[in-house]
Amino acid sequence: MDGAHQDVELTPRPAKKRRRHQPDLDPPEQLASISAHSEDNASELESHHSGRISPTKQLAYLEDSSEPVVYCDFATTTADIPEDVATLCDAVQALADGIGILGFNPDELAASTGPSTALDPRDRKRFGYAWADDCTERLKTGTMVSLKEVQALVTSAISHEDKRSHEAVWNEKVHQTLIAAALTTSFYAEHLDIANVKTATIDPPDLANQKLPKRVVDYAIVLRPNQLTRKAWETLQPVGNAGIKSWNHTTNNDIRSTPIASNIETKAPNKSWTDGKAQIAIWTSALFKRLALLQQPGQGRLEIPAMPLLIAQGHDWHFFVVSQQLDPVLKKRTTTIWQKIDIGNTRNCFDAYKLIAVLHLVMEWAFKVWRPWFHDLIGWMVEE
């Protein structure tokens, strides 16, 4: 049959219409979440990238290494808790219990909790607890973040949970906002900074267990350079094959000249809790190894102060402390991460103020404890 011949008995059909482009109906913030999700998936350096080894096995590798890294629970441990660990934990536990987290004067408190305010009824009641407001003690570490700002943070956090926002959105809109508010109101803000370390990698790589991914955390509290660190920087020797100077266990340009004082890992609500524990353990143990290399040659074992750590999972924030000690039986150095104090959350203003109070405490510790210790560590580099 001739291919050009048409069967007249076939029912004629209208030509297909080309489908017009449909406008995207997603709200702008959802689009931002999708965009952030795509960007994060494209990055091999994202903090929650877990590699091929499960987080549980990563923790097992750390426990079995020549210099073990172990988690130890405060409630079940039979070991002696170091004094500096206990001091930090006692202070944080009091704030987690809501003791002295507010620093409002009576007039401010009355205005904040009055019936005409938009304060959640539960918050209004809790703000009235006599043991929660203590201007004298609370205002030693920083000023109060305004109630309006905290209410906006809580509203944003609840909204992102309802929308099941991606981790990158939680980081930017909730976690980073909270940390920045705490830094801005800290009395030590001029000496400290918050570094975003999501794209940093452990370098030199041999500072971490070679069987494990070179995992990163999200944020670090760092020391701003001063006259001593700038002078010591001149004589600091480069690290790794790249021949780049760094105070830290990474040669990332954003933080190589600002010594890390504490680490913060943040997760979206649906991310693995165990994953975060593995990340902060790998990252912090590598930092401790780098610090040992900064010690003056010929000195004995480096004594590192107990360091506070924070992990946030969505709304909920948790406090840990990492310390090093010599195992008397195994005769080798063990890094212990003491867990954990559930500080509070961003579901209500009262708990959000707990988080700010703890962040202020950690920042005070970074200035009063870590900063002088680090200066002593590198002091030999500037001696005449």
Side-chain angles (χ1 to χ4, degrees):
M1 183 179 293
D2 187 350
H5 177 73
Q6 294 184 352
D7 190 336
V8 296
E9 294 185 2
L10 289 177
T11 303
R13 300 182 183 273
K16 290 184 178 179
K17 294 182 179 180
R18 182 174 296 176
R19 180 177 295 174
R20 292 183 178 180
H21 173 70
Q22 296 294 322
D24 201 320
L25 299 179
D26 290 327
E29 287 202 14
Q30 187 171 340
L31 287 175
S33 176
I34 294 170
S35 173
H37 193 168
S38 300
E39 290 175 5
D40 284 349
N41 284 344
S43 172
E44 294 181 356
L45 301 177
E46 187 186 28
S47 71
H48 66 249
H49 181 71
S50 61
R52 297 181 179 180
I53 307 173
S54 72
T56 302
K57 288 185 177 179
Q58 290 173 35
L59 291 173
Y61 274 123
L62 289 168
E63 290 174 4
D64 296 340
S65 65
S66 58
E67 293 187 354
V69 181
V70 300
Y71 275 86
C72 191
D73 197 291
F74 293 118
T76 60
T77 181
T78 57
D80 292 330
I81 299 177
E83 184 178 353
D84 53 355
V85 173
T87 299
L88 274 170
C89 291
D90 288 347
V92 170
Q93 185 63 68
L95 296 173
D97 291 338
I99 299 172
I101 62 168
L102 305 177
F104 296 115
N105 63 46
D107 291 339
E108 290 175 324
L109 192 61
S112 299
T113 58
S116 61
T117 65
L119 198 64
D120 183 297
R122 295 168 300 169
D123 274 334
R124 187 176 292 115
K125 180 178 180 180
R126 297 167 82 191
F127 272 48
Y129 292 156
W131 37 261
D133 194 59
D134 186 346
C135 285
T136 303
E137 289 299 316
R138 177 64 186 87
L139 299 182
K140 287 182 177 180
T141 56
T143 58
M144 293 297 292
V145 178
S146 73
L147 182 57
K148 182 178 180 181
E149 192 174 349
V150 172
Q151 285 177 312
L153 174 71
V154 168
T155 300
S156 175
I158 293 172
S159 171
H160 288 299
E161 182 179 40
D162 291 342
K163 291 184 292 187
R164 297 184 293 278
S165 295
H166 188 259
E167 182 173 312
V169 179
W170 268 93
N171 285 172
E172 179 186 356
K173 302 295 185 180
V174 182
H175 301 138
Q176 186 172 327
T177 301
L178 175 66
I179 298 167
L183 178 65
T184 302
T185 52
S186 168
F187 286 149
Y188 309 99
E190 65 178 296
H191 304 288
L192 306 173
D193 206 351
I194 303 299
N196 184 325
V197 294
K198 296 176 187 177
T199 59
T201 55
I202 295 175
D203 186 29
D206 58 7
L207 290 174
N209 189 314
Q210 297 302 298
K211 296 179 181 179
L212 301 175
K214 304 301 177 282
R215 303 169 66 83
V216 298
V217 296
D218 291 298
Y219 303 100
I221 298 174
V222 299
L223 306 179
R224 291 181 183 270
N226 64 359
Q227 185 176 358
L228 187 148
T229 56
R230 289 191 186 98
K231 189 173 181 180
W233 182 265
E234 296 175 4
T235 58
L236 178 66
Q237 295 301 304
V239 296
N241 296 328
I244 298 175
K245 293 183 179 183
S246 178
W247 292 124
N248 303 309
H249 56 309
T250 176
T251 51
N252 183 285
N253 276 333
D254 292 337
I255 58 167
R256 65 191 186 94
S257 63
T258 52
I260 292 174
S262 185
N263 296 298
I264 304 172
E265 169 59 17
T266 57
K267 295 285 184 189
N270 60 337
K271 293 297 179 180
S272 167
W273 167 249
T274 306
D275 198 43
K277 290 175 64 176
Q279 285 174 231
I280 209 162
I282 294 169
W283 179 259
T284 304
S285 63
L287 171 61
F288 278 17
K289 289 179 182 178
R290 172 56 184 150
L291 291 170
L293 297 176
L294 294 175
Q295 188 177 24
Q296 184 175 9
Q299 299 298 307
R301 184 172 69 91
L302 180 64
E303 298 291 339
I304 302 176
M307 173 186 283
L309 306 171
L310 295 164
I311 299 181
Q313 187 176 31
H315 287 291
D316 304 303
W317 287 66
H318 312 277
F319 180 81
F320 299 76
V321 183
V322 58
S323 67
Q324 276 195 341
Q325 53 280 326
L326 187 66
D327 189 307
V329 177
L330 301 177
K331 302 298 182 183
K332 57 184 178 181
R333 184 180 303 191
T334 299
T335 299
T336 302
I337 301 179
W338 304 87
Q339 63 177 4
K340 66 182 171 58
I341 296 174
D342 299 327
I343 307 168
N345 58 70
T346 50
R347 293 183 178 89
N348 60 78
C349 293
F350 190 83
D351 272 85
Y353 275 118
K354 292 181 185 179
L355 305 179
I356 295 167
V358 170
L359 284 165
H360 277 174
L361 179 70
V362 172
M363 291 170 187
E364 180 187 52
W365 171 91
F367 177 77
K368 290 188 173 181
V369 177
W370 190 262
R371 187 172 182 263
W373 175 86
F374 187 82
H375 287 174
D376 287 344
L377 174 66
I378 65 172
W380 67 275
M381 298 182 186
V382 298
E383 292 176 354
E384 298 295 338

